[in-house]
Amino acid sequence: MVKHSEYMEAFFGVELNQKFEDMINELKDAEDNLKELSLEIGKLGEIKDTDTLSESIKECRAVAYENAQSIKDVRTFLDFYLKSDKTSTHIILERDAYMKIYQIFKWDGADVRDLKRWIGDLKEICDKIGLNMRDLINFKKLTSQPVPPELVKFPVYALDRQGYCLTGPAFDMVLHIDEVREQMAENSN
């Protein structure tokens, strides 16, 4: 059984950025080799000599096996760094959470459905790592276009350029500003 410290040493002892690039290059090489193998297999039907055919089949099998091994190595690497250790997975998910927060605060105000989807993604990440999304986002600063003060009480968290609002207790409803005002009027009666 591998100890926690060995996972951490492996995780931090590798320059992950370079290792990920190496793995991508290895997959690209396997992809190119498999395409070439496909062409060679297509030519097998043209070979009439049984000894030559037998030798060509052995070569194709060897190339296929070699590429399968390369793909297995990449899968093993990704499995180790992305799934097997809860601490390293937690670190990666924290990074993803902060990237999602950055994306949310860089929202251009064009379509509130984008913001709704990103907040949903962030909530899913936070649920996995035990963070409270409300601790990470100041919902009063979600939008560059100010939400009218009377709508903030509804609550409306963000407003896009077409007048659609992000609302709902789980930040998962999109209503037009006119619908929000109608609901507010109904609730006040």
Side-chain angles (χ1 to χ4, degrees), residues 51-183:
D51 289 338
T52 305
L53 178 61
S54 179
E55 190 60 34
S56 294
I57 289 172
K58 286 179 185 176
E59 287 176 23
C60 288
R61 288 188 66 210
V63 169
Y65 184 82
E66 189 178 305
N67 283 285
Q69 190 62 41
S70 292
I71 291 169
K72 178 186 174 203
D73 293 344
V74 171
R75 181 185 50 78
T76 301
F77 166 79
L78 293 174
D79 185 53
F80 178 80
Y81 282 101
L82 300 179
K83 287 175 43 179
S84 62
D85 179 58
K86 291 188 186 304
T87 304
S88 54
T89 302
H90 185 90
I91 292 167
I92 291 167
L93 287 171
E94 275 186 355
R95 179 210 164 269
D96 289 351
Y98 288 109
M99 292 303 294
K100 194 56 68 175
I101 291 167
Y102 178 79
Q103 184 178 28
I104 289 167
F105 282 107
K106 289 294 182 182
W107 176 58
D108 63 4
D111 189 341
V112 80
R113 292 174 298 186
D114 292 334
L115 189 60
K116 174 187 167 211
R117 185 178 65 252
W118 298 335
I119 290 173
D121 294 345
L122 177 62
K123 183 177 182 341
E124 188 177 310
I125 293 168
C126 287
D127 289 347
K128 286 179 184 175
I129 57 178
L131 294 175
N132 184 346
M133 183 182 63
R134 292 175 186 266
D135 293 338
L136 301 175
I137 296 179
N138 181 349
F139 286 95
K140 293 176 184 173
K141 296 184 178 184
L142 270 185
T143 183
S144 58
Q145 182 174 332
V147 176
E150 70 276 7
L151 298 181
V152 171
K153 296 174 190 170
F154 183 68
V156 168
Y157 303 105
L159 176 65
D160 70 18
R161 290 185 219 135
Q162 289 78 35
Y164 286 93
C165 305
L166 179 65
T167 185
F171 321 102
D172 59 351
M173 291 178 53
V174 174
L175 297 172
H176 193 270
I177 194 167
D178 296 335
E179 293 174 295
V180 170
R181 287 194 168 116
E182 286 173 16
Q183 284 191 20

Side-chain angles (χ1 to χ4, degrees), residues 2-14 16 80-81 84-91:
V2 179
K3 290 187 243 169
H4 176 73
S5 61
E6 289 173 359
Y7 275 122
M8 294 310 293
E9 184 176 320
F11 184 80
F12 289 108
V14 173
L16 283 180
F80 178 80
Y81 282 101
S84 62
D85 179 58
K86 291 188 186 304
T87 304
S88 54
T89 302
H90 185 90
I91 292 167

